[in-house]
């Protein structure tokens, strides 16, 4: 049970921004929100994570709703290399869930030239 | 820097044979994970270790699967005997320390197993 909900697929054009939504309405106060992506024939790759505040790094931005029940991964300018499956994951802070990523089905992002 | 190293990258074996997948985590990482990915079930956590000790093996499908971590720089996942339904991509991953939810987990490139 991944406990997050994402659209099955999204499409974008190259060099346009992409907003990938994720719902996590049952998130607890100590759960982090992680995003990973998996390019074809590769292992998952860390993208970004956050707890409450919006976060930026060289790959993407993460916007977290004030009630933390949803978040959005933002790719500012999509490239063909961003075509991948994007996973939104809640990562709990207690017990044996430490560091234990539970992957859902993710969102398949297609980028058109 | 070397990432998580897995071997073999690809293996084709006959049903009933023993399969051993190997993993070298990133140096200094305390936690190690084995995942399996299939089209039907997606990415599933099989087992994870912290400081070489298995912490949660609830995802191991059955007794035919076993995993060991004899030291901080090496782990194996063994399937004996293998069956066609074990065909999947097996990923090893590691992370710097346990118990920090903000930690990043680093994945290897996977071992692609086909059991015929």
């Amino acid at each position: 049970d991944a406990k997050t909900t994402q659209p099955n697929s999204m499409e974008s054009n190259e060099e346009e921004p992409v907003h990938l939504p994720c719902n996590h309405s049952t998130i607890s106060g100590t759960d982090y929100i992680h995003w990973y992506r998996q390019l074809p024939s590769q292992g998952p790759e860390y993208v970004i994570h956050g707890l409450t505040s919006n976060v930026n790094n060289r790959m993407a931005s993460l916007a977290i709703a004030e009630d933390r029940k949803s978040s959005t991964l933002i790719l500012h300018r999509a490239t063909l290399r961003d075509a991948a499956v994007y996973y939104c994951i809640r990562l709990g802070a207690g017990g044996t869930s430490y560091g234990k990523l539970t992957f859902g089905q993710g969102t398949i992002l297609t980028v058109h030239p | 820097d070397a990432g998580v190293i897995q071997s073999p990258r690809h293996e084709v074996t006959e049903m009933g044979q023993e399969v051993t997948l190997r993993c070298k985590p990133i140096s200094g990482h305390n936690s190690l994970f084995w995942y399996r990915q299939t089209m039907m079930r997606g990415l599933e956590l099989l087992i994870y270790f912290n400081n070489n000790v298995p912490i949660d093996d609830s995802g191991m499908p059955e007794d035919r699967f076993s995993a060991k971590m004899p030291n901080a720089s090496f782990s194996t996942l063994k399937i004996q005997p293998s069956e066609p339904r074990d065909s999947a991509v097996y990923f090893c991953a590691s992370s710097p320390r346990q118990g920090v939810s903000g930690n990043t987990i680093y994945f290897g490139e996977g071992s692609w197993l086909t059991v015929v």
Side-chain angles (χ1 to χ4, degrees):
Chain A
D1 179 10
K3 302 178 183 176
T4 63
T5 305
Q6 300 177 251
N8 289 333
S9 63
M10 292 187 66
E11 297 186 19
S12 173
N13 294 317
E14 203 173 7
E15 298 192 3
E16 290 184 355
V18 181
H19 291 231
L20 297 166
C22 179
N23 287 318
H24 28 79
S25 57
T26 60
I27 195 168
S28 72
T30 55
D31 285 351
Y32 280 75
I33 301 156
H34 284 242
W35 283 82
Y36 281 73
R37 72 180 184 181
Q38 188 172 19
L39 280 64
S41 301
Q42 295 189 24
E45 172 189 33
Y46 167 81
V47 177
I48 200 167
H49 76 275
L51 184 61
T52 55
S53 303
N54 295 344
V55 183
N56 300 294
N57 66 20
R58 63 176 180 81
M59 290 181 69
S61 296
L62 177 60
I64 301 173
E66 194 170 335
D67 63 6
R68 299 207 334 121
K69 293 185 176 181
S70 65
S71 61
T72 302
L73 178 70
I74 302 166
L75 307 179
H76 295 285
R77 289 183 63 195
T79 69
L80 297 179
R81 288 173 295 178
D82 291 322
V85 181
Y86 286 79
Y87 297 99
C88 169
I89 302 165
R90 287 170 45 185
L91 193 56
T96 58
S97 66
Y98 278 176
K100 181 178 171 180
L101 298 176
T102 302
F103 288 83
Q105 293 304 308
T107 297
I108 300 171
L109 176 64
T110 302
V111 181
H112 299 289
Chain B
D1 289 343
V4 176
I5 299 172
Q6 293 186 245
S7 65
R9 289 296 315 281
H10 299 271
E11 178 152 346
V12 179
T13 191
E14 291 185 346
M15 182 175 63
Q17 296 298 307
E18 177 179 293
V19 173
T20 300
L21 307 178
R22 298 172 177 80
C23 175
K24 177 178 169 54
I26 294 172
S27 178
H29 283 193
N30 297 87
S31 295
L32 182 139
F33 308 82
W34 282 100
Y35 282 83
R36 177 174 69 175
Q37 186 171 33
T38 61
M39 289 294 293
M40 291 297 295
R41 301 176 65 88
L43 270 160
E44 304 173 281
L45 176 65
L46 300 178
I47 186 171
Y48 86 92
F49 294 84
N50 188 61
N51 292 325
N52 311 338
V53 176
I55 302 300
D56 183 353
D57 65 354
S58 60
M60 295 286 265
E62 48 196 278
D63 292 345
R64 297 185 297 106
F65 285 70
S66 62
K68 294 182 179 179
M69 192 166 185
N71 57 61
S73 59
F74 184 67
S75 177
T76 59
L77 178 67
K78 187 173 293 188
I79 308 172
Q80 167 63 21
S82 58
E83 297 182 3
R85 60 193 169 118
D86 302 330
S87 298
V89 185
Y90 291 81
F91 290 103
C92 179
S94 69
S95 72
R97 58 189 189 275
Q98 185 221 19
V100 179
S101 293
N103 249 3
T104 298
I105 296 178
Y106 300 82
F107 285 78
E109 295 188 336
S111 291
W112 298 66
L113 174 66
T114 302
V115 183
V116 298

